[in-house]
Amino acid sequence: MKRAVLSFALAMLAWQVQAATCPDFHASTMDANGVPPATWRQDYPSVYPDPDDRQPWEAFNFRTAPVEYMNAVLETAKTAFQIKDQKLTASGQGDWWISQWLDYSNAGREPLMGLTKERGPDPGDLSETSPDGYQVWAVGFYNRPGAAVLGDIFAQPCNPSLPVAVKFPADTASIKFLFTDASTDNVTYLKDGPEYDAYIDPPGSGSSSHAASERKLSQVRLLQVDIAIKDARSRETGWVFGTFVWRAPPKGDKLFDNLVPVSLQWGNDPGVYDASIRQSWINPDLRGVTYGWRSRPTLGFMGRANGPADNIRSSCLSCHAGGRTPRALIGLLDNRFDMTKLYDPALVKSHVDTWFQNVRGGQLFQPSDPAVSSLDYSLQLETGMFRICLACAAGDLQGQTPDVCRASGFYNRPVCSAPTTDTVRKQVLQSVPPPRQ
């Protein structure tokens, strides 16, 4: 009995340990608003798990049993998260870690749940009647295999170390919770869902990001949950990406019990220029709920997998395949494709050939553009590298310029900028659009 008590006490102590943070950085958006910040784990494991350990989702073939596969992944997270005091919090019973350096810039983490700002949905994205201006904020986590990689990268928090090609090990899983301030008058499948507190931008901001000082305490609802799994059975990319949506009416824990599988994807269907998609699964029961109207006939491009908050011109894998530092010159896929031009085969072919390739982990998206590192589908790492360099250039990080910033050409001076005035800092922060998590 004493041994059990001691083991539990040690486990709780380990949960509370925080990773070393950069002592030369004093502008975290998690410190804004004078509220105690969320305490997600950053005490990254120093030992990689046994790759032969069998994971629950390995019992299912994602191609033939997508729902069972997705639910098995979700099951591994159920005991780790809970709703408490109108916030998503850690239960203390799970092994999930957040990445560093997402707590800076106008889109940086808010303090209550550690949310970062995502792309704002277009009119008609979330429902047939949803207007422009709604916001989406998210927080993502890696399981133990993925967090071990973060531990290697952030061993020196002020100077992250990146290999030429980041390679997450097999069984890496990530989970991301996406929240929105959308009204349930428009997005009825969120009706009566729990409300969560978060400091977000003023109403109607959409994709536009404001300074952390301008954020307001607001109520948001859980919209969707994304998962990503490094699965060797995905011969196309090495990854499997999936999305759940929160669907009313509330039941059970009102968190995981309301999540319904939306889509699953293991490849981008390169060279497919019509709706004959083979490397995605879409839940047909959600037609008319998350897709199936004039402005959103499909979730992703030409029927590829995506979530309701995501860009119809893209797909889950297409977006993350662009993870690299620095970002490719063409950036990430945005609203450049006119969805009224689907009848134009030349435009469709150009769009598919550019954005829907099966990039494998270790390969570089747009290899003709110089890069410091390919990031194996991690936009969290891409965002973190961007923001540490931004902090250095703005004078909010002091000391030696991080190696990644000099190597990428973002900031070539040996020492970070001297502290600047608020006016200069604002100009720097607004000079480059914030990356998406």
Side-chain angles (χ1 to χ4, degrees):
M1 180 67 178
K2 289 182 178 179
R3 181 177 296 176
V5 172
L6 178 61
S7 297
F8 177 77
L10 289 174
M12 291 305 295
L13 178 62
W15 179 266
Q16 296 171 27
V17 172
Q18 294 296 300
T21 56
C22 178
D24 296 321
F25 174 61
H26 304 285
S28 172
T29 52
M30 291 280 281
D31 296 333
N33 303 106
V35 301
T39 55
W40 300 119
R41 296 189 72 172
Q42 294 183 83
D43 57 322
Y44 304 125
S46 58
V47 178
Y48 283 75
D50 186 341
D52 293 328
D53 288 347
R54 188 160 177 81
Q55 303 300 323
W57 57 82
E58 293 180 290
F60 303 100
N61 184 329
F62 53 79
R63 291 177 173 85
T64 58
V67 173
E68 293 82 357
Y69 182 91
M70 293 177 68
N71 285 333
V73 175
L74 196 65
E75 195 69 30
T76 65
K78 282 187 175 181
T79 60
F81 302 96
Q82 63 183 359
I83 304 172
K84 185 177 180 181
D85 299 328
Q86 291 195 202
K87 295 188 292 292
L88 179 74
T89 65
S91 68
Q93 300 179 39
D95 289 345
W96 295 88
W97 288 259
I98 63 169
S99 181
Q100 294 200 25
W101 283 105
L102 298 185
D103 57 334
Y104 183 69
S105 85
N106 291 351
R109 296 191 188 279
E110 60 82 42
L112 291 179
M113 293 191 287
L115 308 181
T116 63
K117 191 161 190 180
E118 295 263 316
R119 163 191 177 269
D122 291 331
D125 273 0
L126 302 183
S127 75
E128 193 168 7
T129 61
S130 61
D132 196 13
Y134 287 144
Q135 301 175 57
V136 173
W137 292 71
V139 59
F141 305 84
Y142 281 99
N143 69 348
R144 185 170 289 275
V149 174
L150 299 185
D152 289 342
I153 291 172
F154 296 113
Q156 297 183 55
C158 295
N159 190 19
S161 176
L162 286 173
V164 171
V166 172
K167 291 186 179 180
F168 287 98
D171 299 333
T172 292
S174 71
I175 185 169
K176 183 168 73 170
F177 298 84
L178 293 89
F179 299 83
T180 183
D181 64 347
S183 169
T184 57
D185 291 340
N186 299 122
V187 189
T188 57
Y189 52 84
L190 301 183
K191 187 174 176 58
D192 298 325
E195 292 186 337
Y196 301 76
D197 290 335
Y199 281 94
I200 65 173
D201 290 331
S205 296
S207 293
S208 300
S209 296
H210 295 247
S213 60
E214 298 177 26
R215 297 176 183 174
K216 307 294 183 184
L217 181 61
S218 306
Q219 281 66 55
V220 295
R221 288 182 171 85
L222 182 63
L223 170 65
Q224 73 183 52
V225 172
D226 294 343
I227 56 173
I229 306 92
K230 192 70 174 287
D231 193 322
R233 296 173 296 175
S234 171
R235 298 180 298 274
E236 294 80 3
T237 63
W239 285 93
V240 180
F241 276 59
T243 294
F244 296 83
V245 69
W246 196 98
R247 189 177 186 185
K251 58 184 178 181
D253 65 1
K254 300 181 182 179
L255 178 58
F256 293 100
D257 291 338
N258 275 92
L259 295 180
V260 177
V262 175
S263 64
L264 193 68
Q265 185 180 26
W266 50 94
N268 270 312
D269 282 287
V272 176
Y273 310 114
D274 54 24
S276 56
I277 301 303
R278 296 289 182 269
Q279 297 171 1
S280 289
W281 169 82
I282 309 296
N283 188 345
D285 294 338
L286 292 179
R287 177 175 291 278
V289 179
T290 59
Y291 70 100
W293 47 89
R294 183 175 181 179
S295 59
R296 184 143 211 172
T298 59
L299 287 165
F301 193 70
M302 303 294 282
R304 292 168 174 84
N306 234 355
D310 302 325
N311 193 339
I312 190 174
R313 300 160 183 83
S314 186
S315 75
C316 296
L317 282 170
S318 172
C319 186
H320 284 261
R324 44 167 284 166
T325 189
R327 180 176 289 183
L329 293 178
I330 60 174
L332 294 179
L333 193 154
D334 54 23
N335 290 337
R336 279 165 284 191
F337 186 87
D338 184 349
M339 290 299 292
T340 66
K341 300 292 180 61
L342 286 175
Y343 64 83
D344 188 325
L347 287 179
V348 170
K349 184 179 187 303
S350 175
H351 187 70
V352 170
D353 290 348
T354 300
W355 297 105
F356 296 97
Q357 299 304 306
N358 282 341
V359 178
R360 292 195 60 83
Q363 291 182 325
L364 185 66
F365 174 72
Q366 292 290 301
S368 59
D369 292 349
V372 175
S373 177
S374 61
L375 300 178
D376 200 6
Y377 282 73
S378 178
L379 294 185
Q380 292 198 41
L381 284 178
E382 184 189 277
T383 300
M385 297 308 110
F386 177 88
R387 290 182 185 173
I388 190 175
C389 297
L390 193 62
C392 179
D396 287 324
L397 171 65
Q398 294 294 289
Q400 177 184 332
T401 298
D403 292 340
V404 66
C405 305
R406 300 193 71 183
S408 66
F410 189 107
Y411 192 78
N412 289 315
R413 299 176 185 175
V415 178
C416 291
S417 173
T420 58
T421 65
D422 287 342
T423 299
V424 173
R425 182 180 294 108
K426 185 175 181 180
Q427 291 173 345
V428 173
L429 292 177
Q430 293 179 342
S431 63
V432 186
R436 304 302 179 196
Q437 179 179 333

